[in-house]
Amino acid sequence: MLTQGHDADDPSRSAAGRTYQVRTYGCQMNVHDSERLAGLLEAAGYRRAAEGADADVVVFNTCAVRENADNKLYGNISHLAPRKQSDPDMQIAVGGCLAQKDRENLLKKAPWVDVVFGTHNIGSLPALLERARHNREAQVEIAESLREFPSTLPAARESAYAAWVSISVGCNNTCTFCIVPALRGREVDRRPADILAEVRSLVDQGVLEVTLLGQNVNAYGVSFADEDVPRDRGAFAALLRSCGDIDGLERVRFTSPHPAEFTDDVIEAMAQTPNVCPALHMPLQSGSDRVLRAMRRSYRAEKYLGIIDRVRAAMPNAAITTDIIVGFPGETDADFEATLDVVRAARFSAAFTFQYSKRPGTPAAELDGQLPKEVVQERYLRLLEVQEQISWEENAALIGTQVELLVATGEGRKDASTARMSGRARDGRLVHFTPGDTEVRPGDVLTTTVTGAAPHHLIADAPVLDYRRTRAGDAHAAGQRPRTTGLGLPTVGRPVTVEPTGCGQ
């Protein structure tokens, strides 16, 4: 059944004492959405399930970008079917991009699922769970457009020291390989004051690093949710500079920009704002102009490399990473060699490489020239070999240099015999370091010297040169996580009249 609205539901009536688990697939946007889902459930009375324990409610926050996303999801849901059969009060909910795409068909494939909700209405989840329990009937609610910014919803953050902050939702691009715009809608931007209020709230709770999130962050300012705020193409650069004025905010990152809209004012803001990190993730996708045209990527290789040159002129030590798709329909040997040429010229510190996968509903799925799997695999391995060598060389060049690390938890594999811990350098590189006799906590900051390198990480077995305990480290040690509630517009469109919140709105 397709339901509309949820004002009358009171999910707190039966949520008390029930536990939940959220399983996340896909991009950083989904990771942040999962923090919102956790916040919603906890606000409704649910408790997070202990590690390894069975949860009363399991929520799948799905991705639809890769070809195997469907199979992976339905396989994981099927593993819960026997438990659902033995415990009818256990509930399964599926949200995210795959739910938005499959809708009621999801229940046909997995009839034991209790709730299906879309990308535009994650705030409906607690009410839908309660309604499914009360009615003993599966609930499907898929909104066709954004009802509320995810930032207006409570969030149970995963980290005490680093946080995602959404600056926009949706995307106005029409890349032929991508289904995201169809599932997340057109771009709508949050007001700068709302974003900065959320960042200040996080910093007040000890967070040291924020990552500004959007499908196309440097298009920020194209379409503000508040219709009284005019379009502003300089809004993203201004937002970066405003983040630089927030006391206690030590690191600012953003992802992902689009090369077609990358402007010099953003480069200047990055270089001139001390807490904006010297790191840039900018998708290339292909180095062939012919393939870029077929992808509807409105830039060419020369423009892309020009942006990199200007970034490195302003920030010589910037680490630049990218996304690349191998085997797009019609890609020739010459097209692939053009991609390798750009990779060699750009000298990325890392690249996220993907074999093209056919996604139903995208224009590329209907293009002629779909390549055999063995051709795509061979090219993928060649690209991987070239990029791994470049990554190793770029990392090896840092041996002997000092790095400031924000100590992290759960990042990368470490040799237990060395007692190494992990941290992120300001440029985003992962560093495995030896703490020595220093009592180091995630969320604290230290300086050390790079002693070794591999393609995907650095090693620092030298003595710790400087160590600073932080409020984020205190919070992590105490098991505390920052929470944000009600920051942003309550609805999309002209804001309703509300009492001042003290959050800078």
Side-chain angles (χ1 to χ4, degrees):
M1 79 185 267
L2 188 66
T3 63
Q4 297 292 330
H6 54 277
D7 319 29
D9 297 277
D10 181 8
S12 64
R13 288 179 304 173
S14 62
R18 287 172 64 77
T19 60
Y20 77 90
Q21 178 191 73
V22 180
R23 302 184 186 181
T24 308
Y25 305 84
C27 66
Q28 297 98 329
M29 300 290 280
N30 269 18
V31 173
H32 186 33
D33 282 351
S34 289
E35 292 183 329
R36 300 291 178 191
L37 292 169
L40 282 161
L41 292 171
E42 291 181 12
Y46 294 86
R47 294 180 294 105
R48 185 175 302 210
E51 192 71 29
D54 288 335
D56 298 314
V57 174
V58 178
V59 182
F60 292 86
N61 190 12
T62 65
C63 173
V65 172
R66 305 299 299 280
E67 185 175 23
N68 66 353
D70 304 50
N71 295 336
K72 187 173 183 180
L73 171 69
Y74 290 115
N76 288 335
I77 292 177
S78 68
H79 292 156
L80 292 177
R83 186 170 160 236
K84 174 72 175 176
Q85 189 172 18
S86 64
D87 180 9
D89 286 335
M90 180 259 185
Q91 291 185 290
I92 302 169
V94 182
C97 288
L98 195 61
Q100 187 81 18
K101 178 175 76 74
D102 283 5
R103 302 175 178 238
E104 294 91 336
N105 289 330
L106 199 151
L107 290 180
K108 295 177 183 176
K109 296 180 180 179
W112 55 91
V113 167
D114 298 275
V115 170
V116 179
F117 63 101
T119 60
H120 299 307
N121 59 308
I122 65 176
S124 304
L125 177 59
L128 292 171
L129 288 168
E130 169 58 22
R131 198 180 303 159
R133 277 169 57 80
H134 181 271
N135 295 346
R136 294 289 175 182
E137 183 179 30
Q139 302 293 303
V140 179
E141 183 172 287
I142 305 292
E144 298 302 329
S145 59
L146 190 68
R147 287 184 178 174
E148 56 201 344
F149 269 97
S151 49
T152 68
L153 304 172
R157 305 281 181 163
E158 289 296 321
S159 170
Y161 49 86
W164 311 103
V165 175
S166 176
I167 70 170
S168 65
V169 293
C171 181
N172 292 345
N173 294 317
T174 57
C175 303
T176 54
F177 57 81
C178 184
I179 199 169
V180 169
L183 302 179
R184 288 199 176 259
R186 293 188 62 79
E187 180 176 331
V188 182
D189 302 326
R190 293 175 68 193
R191 293 174 293 181
D194 296 333
I195 296 167
L196 295 171
E198 182 174 354
V199 174
R200 290 189 190 98
S201 172
L202 290 163
V203 172
D204 287 345
Q205 297 175 74
V207 167
L208 301 180
E209 174 182 298
V210 298
T211 301
L212 305 177
L213 281 181
Q215 301 293 153
N216 181 5
V217 291
N218 54 338
Y220 177 73
V222 168
S223 173
F224 287 110
D226 183 348
E227 60 192 44
D228 293 330
V229 180
R231 175 186 174 114
D232 178 5
R233 294 314 301 265
F236 186 59
L239 182 64
L240 290 177
R241 292 184 186 276
S242 294
C243 286
D245 296 330
I246 297 177
D247 290 338
L249 179 59
E250 299 191 16
R251 297 184 176 190
V252 179
R253 306 186 189 279
F254 59 86
T255 192
S256 292
H258 193 291
E261 299 184 77
F262 209 104
T263 50
D264 288 347
D265 63 339
V266 172
I267 298 174
E268 292 170 4
M270 292 176 67
Q272 295 170 7
T273 309
N275 63 358
V276 175
C277 293
L280 174 65
H281 181 78
M282 186 168 66
L284 168 66
Q285 306 303 9
S286 175
S288 162
D289 289 351
R290 193 187 69 81
V291 172
L292 289 172
R293 196 173 297 113
M295 289 178 167
R296 288 194 206 140
R297 301 285 289 179
S298 47
Y299 57 88
R300 301 296 174 256
E302 183 178 4
K303 176 171 182 173
Y304 186 96
L305 290 172
I307 294 170
I308 288 181
D309 288 343
R310 295 196 298 280
V311 169
R312 289 203 168 118
M315 295 170 287
N317 297 321
I320 299 175
T321 59
T322 196
D323 297 334
I324 300 172
I325 297 173
V326 177
F328 188 80
E331 180 188 78
T332 64
D333 287 338
D335 292 325
F336 177 67
E337 289 297 334
T339 295
L340 293 181
D341 289 342
V342 173
V343 168
R344 294 185 182 105
R347 295 196 66 80
F348 300 112
S349 60
F352 298 90
T353 53
F354 305 93
Q355 298 185 39
Y356 170 76
S357 57
K358 192 174 182 179
R359 300 305 294 133
T362 62
E366 307 303 321
L367 290 177
D368 294 332
Q370 304 285 332
L371 299 180
K373 173 68 176 177
E374 58 271 19
V375 172
V376 179
Q377 176 72 7
E378 187 271 337
R379 290 177 184 172
Y380 174 79
L381 292 176
R382 285 171 58 198
L383 171 61
L384 209 59
E385 183 180 9
V386 170
Q387 181 56 52
E388 292 269 299
Q389 179 66 25
I390 293 171
S391 296
W392 181 84
E393 291 170 359
E394 291 295 305
N395 283 351
L398 297 174
I399 294 175
T401 63
Q402 292 183 9
V403 287
E404 179 198 85
L405 303 182
L406 175 56
V407 182
T409 180
E411 295 223 47
R413 291 182 298 174
K414 299 168 284 295
D415 183 351
S417 65
T418 66
R420 289 183 184 129
M421 298 179 68
S422 296
R424 289 281 172 181
R426 290 186 60 81
D427 65 7
R429 284 181 167 91
L430 178 65
V431 182
H432 300 316
F433 68 93
T434 302
D437 295 330
T438 307
E439 185 183 345
V440 176
R441 309 170 306 175
D444 289 339
V445 177
L446 62 83
T447 303
T448 186
T449 304
V450 177
T451 59
H456 302 294
H457 65 266
L458 300 173
I459 296 170
D461 284 338
V464 173
L465 299 173
D466 181 67
Y467 175 61
R468 175 162 52 92
R469 294 170 72 90
T470 68
R471 287 200 302 140
D474 294 341
H476 179 87
Q480 298 170 350
R481 299 290 182 268
R483 293 177 178 273
T484 49
T485 306
L487 293 162
L489 294 177
T491 56
V492 175
R494 183 181 294 276
V496 297
T497 302
V498 295
E499 293 298 318
T501 64
C503 294
Q505 294 188 23

